[in-house]
Amino acid sequence: MWAERTSQISLSGIREIFTLTRPDAINLGLGQPDFDTPVHIKEAAKKALDAGYTSYTPNLGFPELIDAIAHYYEQYGVHAGQEQIICTSGGSEALHLAFEALVNPGDEVILPDPGFVAYSPLTRVAGGVPVSARVKAEDGFKLQPNTVAECITEKTKVLIVNSPANPTGAVQRYDEIKGFVELAEDHDFYIVSDEVYDKLLYEGEHVSPASFDSERVIVVNSVSKTYAMTGWRLGYAIAPAALVEEMLKVHQYIQACAPSISQKAAYAALIGPQDSVRSMVKEFKTRRSVVMEHLNEIAECVTPEGAFYVFPRFATSDTSLDLTKKLAQGGVIVVPGSAFGRFGEGHVRISFAASRQDIDRAFLTIKEEVSAR
Ligand SMILES: Cc1ncc(COP(=O)(O)O)c(C=O)c1O
């Protein structure tokens, strides 16, 4: 009865677990910072409201915000003109626009597996075919150029790169990113680089594929994670100008523009003081140590270098979904690795976007559950 486009995809496995949960459960399943939006950003939004910024904005976004985004990306050696940037309703919409403007029916999209839950459904909605490129624990979950090379066919249209990565916290190295860009140039496909965790980095440096001056790279980012602004729904894409034109056509008809007040708030976030980001990252880094200390007692686990997730494998015969359900019944929410692709099976995603106290309490339950088998 419904269109194939939607009937062939399902709701995210993450939500499924949340519905099973006791009200007093400790939530280590969150995909957003457990911090409030910094005060100066909220103030800018209030000011914008009072000044009457309550109507549609230019379709691409306020020019001052576009300039601020271009300036922000200069730090990564990316020199984008105004005509190369489109503001969207979160990074999610930017991903959707990129797929809609790039993927024809039957085109293949290579995606990291395990990887962010939206990549495969968005590929399918655009009529494309998802192709899993396995990321392995022995490589620190970093996607390898030779794994990507093995996935390339005549139909390859897009490669998704996500660094720092959800759900593994892996951070790609310079040489790997360079390798992806070379493959894209040699085999005529595009890289959609999801950089929403660019600032949540504990090791190494953020390398954007767009810094290699290629016409084949689309950057997706947002203020959601860096500035604890997930509910504001403000993201953007940086792409070759001709592709921005194509993305704009879809954006104009489904969204018109990104939310006006959120654009004003995002502008304040990008150009204002960055100490809230630094203190949030410092806190996440401490929690990462706390989580790793607990995990080292009970599991094999790669130390995440970015984002706020760890992706351990426990020695158990349970599927990751069954283990997650048992933990949920015991009062701890984590996300089954299988929600992130078939190669995520056997793992769970634990988010450290929770207080240290909650993390310590949750691990009492996790240790009990895991050592009981
Ligand atoms: C890897 C990744 N990309 C994109 C998003 C979408 O974020 P937003 O739409 O809030 O910018 C998320 C959110 O969890 C994510 O983890």
Side-chain angles (χ1 to χ4, degrees), residues 31 89-93 95 116 119 162 164-166 194 196-197 220-225 230 233-235 309:
S89 182
S92 303
E93 194 214 349
L95 284 170
F116 178 46
Y119 301 144
N162 175 215
N166 178 4
D194 179 343
V196 299
Y197 296 101
V220 168
N221 205 335
S222 76
V223 292
S224 289
K225 318 282 177 175
T230 51
R233 309 311 304 133
L234 203 289
Y309 311 109

Side-chain angles (χ1 to χ4, degrees), residues 33-337:
D34 56 321
F35 292 85
D36 197 3
T37 303
V39 172
H40 71 279
I41 300 175
K42 289 189 190 175
E43 288 303 328
K46 289 180 196 164
K47 247 191 182 160
L49 259 181
D50 289 341
Y53 283 101
T54 52
S55 355
Y56 294 130
T57 77
N59 296 120
L60 289 171
F62 286 125
E64 61 176 10
L65 176 58
I66 289 173
D67 280 345
I69 293 166
H71 184 253
Y72 180 91
Y73 259 82
E74 291 279 339
Q75 70 183 305
Y76 300 131
V78 177
H79 311 292
Q82 281 248 350
E83 67 295 347
Q84 287 182 260
I85 296 173
I86 177 168
C87 301
T88 56
S89 182
S92 303
E93 194 214 349
L95 284 170
H96 178 55
L97 297 182
F99 285 111
E100 289 298 308
L102 286 171
V103 176
N104 278 316
D107 282 351
E108 292 176 356
V109 174
I110 301 174
L111 36 92
D113 183 346
F116 178 46
V117 291
Y119 301 144
S120 175
L122 287 178
T123 299
R124 290 202 183 279
V125 167
V129 180
V131 175
S132 281
R134 184 173 192 174
V135 292
K136 303 186 193 96
E138 62 258 37
D139 299 323
F141 291 121
K142 295 179 212 309
L143 182 60
Q144 296 302 301
N146 62 344
T147 309
V148 173
E150 284 163 15
C151 296
I152 296 170
T153 72
E154 292 281 281
K155 293 187 171 165
T156 303
K157 191 63 182 286
V158 175
L159 163 68
I160 297 170
V161 174
N162 175 215
S163 177
N166 178 4
T168 61
V171 173
Q172 300 287 156
R173 295 285 177 261
Y174 178 91
D175 284 349
E176 294 154 353
I177 298 280
K178 185 162 176 267
F180 300 144
V181 177
E182 284 166 2
L183 286 171
E185 295 280 349
D186 291 350
H187 297 272
D188 288 341
F189 61 80
Y190 291 86
I191 294 176
V192 173
S193 179
D194 179 343
E195 305 182 10
V196 299
Y197 296 101
D198 64 325
K199 286 289 169 203
L200 305 185
L201 204 61
Y202 317 111
E203 253 39 89
E205 53 163 352
H206 179 68
V207 183
S208 174
S211 63
F212 291 88
D213 253 351
S214 165
E215 285 291 298
R216 303 214 150 256
V217 178
I218 297 95
V219 168
V220 168
N221 205 335
S222 76
V223 292
S224 289
K225 318 282 177 175
T226 306
Y227 301 101
M229 291 178 72
T230 51
W232 297 75
R233 309 311 304 133
L234 203 289
Y236 53 91
I238 306 176
L243 181 62
V244 167
E245 283 272 321
E246 297 302 297
M247 292 167 75
L248 175 62
K249 292 180 199 167
V250 184
H251 175 69
Q252 190 177 56
Y253 295 123
I254 64 165
Q255 193 74 20
C257 63
S260 57
I261 303 298
S262 301
Q263 288 188 51
K264 291 288 179 185
Y267 176 73
L270 292 176
I271 65 147
Q274 303 295 306
D275 27 330
S276 60
V277 181
R278 282 189 286 272
S279 55
M280 183 173 76
V281 172
K282 196 165 162 232
E283 174 61 20
F284 279 143
K285 193 170 178 182
T286 307
R287 292 181 195 170
R288 179 183 72 146
S289 312
V290 173
V291 168
M292 288 310 295
E293 254 176 56
H294 284 300
L295 278 173
N296 285 336
E297 294 173 23
I298 50 172
E300 283 170 46
C301 188
V302 173
T303 305
E305 296 180 330
F308 37 70
Y309 311 109
V310 281
F311 202 61
R313 170 188 273 282
F314 294 107
T316 155
S317 54
D318 280 338
T319 64
S320 58
L321 184 60
D322 284 342
L323 175 60
T324 310
K325 284 180 178 167
K326 285 181 187 165
L327 289 172
Q329 279 151 9
V332 175
I333 307 172
V334 298
V335 182

